[in-house]
Amino acid sequence: MFLPPFLLWGLAGAVLAGISLGLLSVFVTQMKLSSLSFTMSHAAFAGAALGMLINLDDLVFAMAFALIVAAVLGPLADKAKLHVDVVIGALFPLTIALAFLFISFNADALKGGGMLSLIWGSILALTPFKVVLLAVLSIVLGVVVFLFYKEFSALLMNRKLAEYSGIKTWIFYDSILFLTGAAVALSLRLLGGVLIFVLMVTPAAIASQFSYDLKKIMIVAPAVGAIFCLIGFYASYIIDWPVGCTIAIISTLFFLISVFISPKRRKKFSG
Amino acid sequence: MIIELDNVTTLYDGANVPTITNINLKVKRGDFIGVIGPNAVGKTTLLETINGVLKASRGTVKVFGKDASIDGSEIRKKVGYLPQDVSFDEESPFLVRDVVLMGRYGAMGILKSPKQCDYELVFNALSRIGIMHLADRPVGKLSGGELQKVMFARTVAKTPKVMLLDEPFNNLDMGAREELVEILSKIHKDMNLTTLMIIHEIDYLSKINVCNRVVLMRNGTIAEDTTPTKILKSKTLVESFRRDH
């Protein structure tokens, strides 16, 4: 099945987003921050809505909003002595309120479907430049995780124990929040907020059904994210469904299947 | 001196009353100190102030000559800390050998991968504690006693200069406790360590013959800093401890 050239950029973008969000899903699930993707998506959504409102590049604004939230989360949680998830809960209403506020000022964009594409994504919104940015992000993310795997794995196991062993955990914790913000902002126009939420949880949830080894999960989750995006993209092209919806449905179906066929649920008797 | 606390007071954020107050303690190389006292007298706070996880609100804490409130993470690279009540999710994607190896990560330094010698130290520690058979088990599937031994192996594999042990006998049955005391005593000597160990039960002090000093804490202060023999001979102290307990 061959795709028209303009769709190839969309496919490349989807696969790259699947890789980076799939890798981040390991952090999000292990750090128990599934609400992070939701809040980041809405921060980027609010930024993009503001960009559209004032007729400037929505990507720049989406990126700026997501990164501001990412930069604020870690220090604010430390200052408030609360789990980041609680701070995310406190910031989420602000991001969604700003998004709706900017939308309410820009009824034209709502009628034209531009805003809707931020929720469900649009492959047409992806330019070669944005694909290059996604490729750069995937590479940066991969290199950072590879170089600091030791510190990240200790952080994911238990932040307090990592601190006791002499690792300055806040640097790695905050850098993951920051990279998540960048990944969400870059993927928003292509995949939409809903699919970002799916891809930042499901790949790791599936990978962890098959292994107790973090290294394997970190290799499998991005591959799963990329495969879902590839299959979903082709399927949406064939059956003419929105890309985001198709990938979301496929991901969730595979997650359900993985739970039922997981070797972790089997009882093994030896001897 | 390896550890020096000079008039140290530690107050938690938002608290009005300090958890430990005006603590003066000097620990020399090779000391094996039992820290005893009833619940909530600041024993854990004392250990966490020494390793710099908690910053002293007043006074100075020096470990290896470094100020713990400034160089906390550097100090922690050489300190093996066994906290109490560590737990893992049942589905936690870490094997026992990973958990033990991770204890060495801070000391290894950034951008450095574990080498053969690090893995050897891990397996030596597992074998010394007698839990080699658990090496490839998911850490979330262990019993409380097994996990306690794994955390102790993690502390040993770090090859620290100082060990801070917060109730290391938690979750262990009598047999396992005796076994661990023996291992602990041997490790302390073999590795030329300086050890501070929180013991919850004063009666246990007579059963373990490892401490050369005992620090008895009461209401956030050091009430006694003496030898185990003296503390056990003093009926008044033992009785008052039991009453507080």
Side-chain angles (χ1 to χ4, degrees), chain B residues 32 169 178 181-182 184-186 188-189 197 199 203-213 228-229 232:
Chain B
F32 198 128
F169 307 115
E178 277 161 24
V181 168
E182 228 168 87
L184 189 54
S185 167
K186 198 162 182 328
H188 175 81
K189 279 180 202 144
M197 174 171 72
I199 312 165
D203 298 325
Y204 207 64
L205 202 57
S206 58
K207 290 181 189 133
I208 55 170
N209 193 22
V210 286
C211 305
N212 66 316
R213 270 171 77 185
T229 328
L232 288 166

Side-chain angles (χ1 to χ4, degrees), chain A residues 92-105:
Chain A
F92 175 66
L94 175 71
T95 59
I96 200 162
L98 286 175
F100 282 120
L101 190 67
F102 297 140
I103 290 170
S104 71
F105 291 149

